Amino acid sequence: MVGIGIAWAAILAMPYAILSAALPASKMGVYMGLFNATITVPQIAASLLGGVILSLVGGTSIMMLAVAGVSMLIAGVTVVFVKEHIIIK
């Protein structure tokens, strides 16, 4: 369990560490706040709309799992459209 806790902490911290290395120091707070919003807003939306979506897909948990799978596939496809810009300091 200790190993899982360490891995979980790294999984949660690494996106912020990667982002902070690519941001200018003068705008760090703004961009970190926006990045945090991109994580928390979908979680809030899912918690508020989960029951509605569940009733729309038939009310069974396996269908909700299918919705999650389709959502992950859509997210994976949209990563192709993300452009990476390298900032040289």
Side-chain angles (χ1 to χ4, degrees):
M1 290 309 295
V2 170
I4 291 172
I6 292 170
W8 186 251
I11 289 167
L12 293 178
M14 285 308 295
Y16 291 98
I18 293 167
L19 182 64
S20 67
L23 293 176
S26 63
K27 299 284 186 179
M28 183 79 67
V30 173
Y31 288 122
M32 285 293 200
L34 289 172
F35 181 68
N36 193 36
T38 66
I39 294 170
T40 57
V41 170
Q43 290 176 341
I44 293 168
S47 69
L48 293 174
L49 299 174
V52 174
I53 295 170
L54 182 63
S55 65
L56 290 174
V57 296
T60 60
S61 58
I62 194 70
M63 291 307 294
M64 199 62 167
L65 187 62
V67 168
V70 169
S71 298
M72 285 186 66
L73 285 174
I74 292 169
V77 169
T78 59
V79 169
V80 174
F81 301 106
V82 174
K83 304 288 187 228
E84 183 177 344
H85 299 283
I86 298 173
I87 299 172
I88 299 173
K89 296 180 182 178

